[in-house]
Structure formats: C-alpha cells, structure tokens
Amino acid sequence: MRMLFAIPITAISLFTVGCGGSDSSSPQEDPLLGTLNIAISDAPMAHVDKVELVLQKLVMTDSLGKLHQYDLNNHHLDLLNYQGMESHLVVEGLRVPAGHYKDVHFIVADKTDSYGCSIENSNGRHPLNIEESRLPLHDFVIDSKQMMSITMEINLYQSMHLTSGEYHLSHRGVYSVDNREMGHLIGEVDPQWIADCETKHIDKAPLGSHFTHMAYLYSSDVTHLEQMADISPTRTDNKHSPFAVSPIHQDHQGNWSFSAGFLPAGEYRVGYSCLAHLDDPATDDINQGEFSLFSEAGLVNVADDGQQTHHQCGNGHGGHGGHGGHG
C-alpha cells in the first residue's frame, strides 16, 4: 500500500472548540495523546478527467460532547490521481487526546465558492455538489500512544451522478476503514466472459463507443446471480445493491483484470457485467432499465492488514471459462 503526497502536520492549523464555546487546552499539552493519519482513495471512473475536492476542516466530537476542529487550509486533491490501492495522505501525525470520537467528517468547500469542489470532463469544468457539504468517516477509539491510520474510499461510480444539469456526490459509495482491518482485491477475469457478454448484448452497445465492463462486489449474504442488483439508492425487491464496484480493464497483453482497494476485510461475492454504461446510480436499472448482471465469480475472502488478495473469475486469464465461478 502506498501513501502519496504527505501533508506535514506543521502545515495544518489546529484548534479545538468546547461545547460551551471556550477554547480547550492545546492537545500538545495533554499527556494522553494518540496519533491520527487519514488518507483518501478513489475507484477510477471513465469519461471524467478530474475530480477536485477542497477540504476545509476535519471535525469530530469526543465522548464528552466536545467538538474538535482541525483547519486543513482548503486542501486540494484530484481524486483521479489516487485510484485502486493508491491513496492521498491528507492528515499525517495529528496528535489528538485519547478517547472515543463520533460524527467524524471533512467539511468541503461549497459549490458557491469559486475554489469549491468540481469535476472536469469533455464539456468543461462543473461545480460538484457534495451531500451536506461534508464527507463522513466512521467513529473510532484511539488509545494513548496509539498510531491510528484510516483511509476514506470514495467510489465515484456509486456516489456521483448528474441530476437536473448539476453534478452531485452522495454519501453512498463513501466509507472509511481502519488500515489494520482492510485489504486489496485483484481479480483476473475470463476473456470468454467478456466476449460472451458483448455478443449476448450487442444491441445494447453504446453508440460509437465500447461496452463498460465492471466487477460488482456484494456481501456474502448474496448466494446467487439472481440476488445481485445494480447501483441504486433504494431497493424495493429482494435483490442486493453492491458494496463496491470496480472497472475491468484490458492490458497490453490482452488480459482482463480489476482491482478494488481498501476493502473492509471479510467475505464478498463477485459479479460481472459488460453493461455498466447502463447503470445509473440514481435509478433502479435492474427493474426500470436495461441493465443486468452476466455472471458471478463465487466467494472471495479479502485478507486484512493491507494484504493483496487475488481472485479468479471463471478461468481467469486462461480464457475458456464458460459461466461458472469459484472462490
């Protein structure tokens, strides 16, 4: 796992506000301190050239209800530079009082600011509206003298959508994980699956473009293909929306593969479709559109502590797999 572009803690202005409005003592004077690192990673997205976030503050509340705020000085990053198993270290070596923290989040620059969050694509630069102008992280407990490293994963295919001419990033597809409790998944995809899916759905190919191949990761509660659903905000059937998705790419040797970084360790079931271009994250495209899953690749157990887990979909790079899968 690589952590890129570290921001020295000396560059971050720190201040803490008590619930009564008075300033608390400086964390550096508290003998019971832990050290906090927070990074951000992204799942890659097609047809987008840049996704710029502008982070203003890290905010969290301790068990006594005291609000802690840390100024990030409008820290800029382009999410597309930190895909898969790469991450951008936003906060490094932050000394905080030991304890339990909740309602942890980054405050981002609002779209009304000229320097606010934005995306760039073939049609130019556009403001990016982020839900509640914040990006949430999970609650955590940090002990005295403990070094805690957390990574926020932002899956753009799940969280970003275009509505009424404006780009929005919702909290769906945004999660965070303790780096000791996460791992990375590398998947080999059977090229026969690719060929068969495209042949079956030739009438659904994008005009003047290519199919979009995607791996869909579901909880282990999903036991067969018919339970797998598309990316959608709500479900009214018995299908399950994916926990994460990852584009499948072909390398210069003709091999198809995908990678999903910073997954909470545990068991997942993997699905595949070549119709991801028909999967709108704001709608139920299984029941109301033309999207469908093509095949499933069985269960995979993602190891913890930042390890890489390899998984074979069908016959992997062997290329003559038919439609069964194995974990």
Side-chain angles (χ1 to χ4, degrees):
M1 179 181 63
R2 291 194 289 164
M3 293 295 187
L4 305 182
F5 197 75
I7 305 298
I9 197 63
T10 53
I12 301 178
S13 173
L14 308 180
F15 59 95
T16 306
V17 180
C19 57
S22 61
D23 290 342
S24 70
S25 61
S26 169
Q28 285 82 353
E29 298 172 3
D30 192 328
L32 301 177
L33 298 176
T35 303
L36 180 64
N37 303 315
I38 304 177
I40 295 180
S41 184
D42 162 45
M45 188 175 195
H47 311 302
V48 176
D49 300 317
K50 187 176 185 178
V51 179
E52 185 169 46
L53 298 183
V54 183
L55 308 177
Q56 295 183 321
K57 296 177 184 177
L58 170 65
V59 180
M60 52 195 191
T61 303
D62 66 23
S63 58
L64 299 177
K66 184 180 295 184
L67 188 67
H68 299 251
Q69 300 189 56
Y70 304 94
D71 193 350
L72 301 178
N73 299 315
N74 291 321
H75 180 69
H76 290 244
L77 71 149
D78 177 5
L79 274 177
L80 298 189
N81 289 335
Y82 308 97
Q83 302 178 8
M85 292 178 286
E86 296 185 351
S87 64
H88 178 99
L89 195 55
V90 177
V91 174
E92 181 182 22
L94 177 60
R95 303 280 283 165
V96 298
H100 182 190
Y101 291 93
K102 60 183 180 180
D103 192 23
V104 186
H105 59 275
F106 289 120
I107 294 177
V108 301
D110 188 82
K111 69 169 186 175
T112 57
D113 295 324
S114 59
Y115 55 84
C117 300
S118 64
I119 79 160
E120 292 182 13
N121 56 23
S122 59
N123 295 318
R125 183 179 182 274
H126 314 274
L128 178 60
N129 304 276
I130 296 183
E131 183 178 347
E132 299 178 348
S133 297
R134 61 170 62 187
L135 292 170
L137 294 104
H138 67 272
D139 298 354
F140 64 87
V141 175
I142 187 167
D143 296 326
S144 175
K145 299 182 181 180
Q146 179 187 4
M147 170 80 76
M148 172 166 284
S149 296
I150 296 172
T151 300
M152 172 184 286
E153 175 74 15
I154 301 177
N155 196 306
L156 294 175
Y157 276 106
Q158 292 173 284
S159 58
M160 194 164 73
H161 57 278
L162 180 64
T163 304
S164 301
E166 293 191 338
Y167 288 91
H168 297 263
L169 192 144
S170 72
H171 293 165
R172 296 191 311 273
V174 177
Y175 65 87
S176 57
V177 62
D178 185 326
N179 285 0
R180 297 167 300 179
E181 300 171 357
M182 67 80 188
H184 309 296
L185 176 62
I186 309 295
E188 293 183 8
V189 181
D190 192 330
Q192 192 64 50
W193 287 16
I194 304 292
D196 289 350
C197 186
E198 291 189 354
T199 299
K200 179 179 179 179
H201 299 296
I202 190 63
D203 59 323
K204 297 180 181 180
L207 185 63
S209 187
H210 302 285
F211 287 93
T212 302
H213 301 274
M214 193 84 71
Y216 288 71
L217 275 63
Y218 300 86
S219 72
S220 57
D221 294 336
V222 175
T223 59
H224 51 83
L225 188 68
E226 288 69 27
Q227 291 179 303
M228 296 180 177
D230 61 320
I231 303 167
S232 57
T234 58
R235 298 235 55 87
T236 57
D237 51 24
N238 292 321
K239 297 180 183 293
H240 297 253
S241 293
F243 175 79
V245 298
S246 181
I248 298 170
H249 298 292
Q250 187 178 32
D251 64 22
H252 65 281
Q253 295 179 325
N255 296 321
W256 293 87
S257 62
F258 69 89
S259 65
F262 302 97
L263 292 169
E267 202 167 46
Y268 298 87
R269 187 170 293 273
V270 183
Y272 158 70
S273 178
C274 62
L275 300 177
H277 56 284
L278 299 176
D279 191 358
D280 183 340
T283 60
D284 179 355
D285 297 296
I286 284 277
N287 294 307
Q288 301 171 12
E290 297 184 276
F291 175 83
S292 62
L293 272 296
F294 180 75
S295 192
E296 66 99 356
L299 291 171
V300 57
N301 189 28
V302 175
D304 61 6
D305 203 25
Q307 299 180 66
Q308 293 184 22
T309 298
H310 291 258
H311 186 62
Q312 185 173 301
C313 301
N315 279 349
H317 294 160
H320 308 287
H323 306 304
H326 61 274

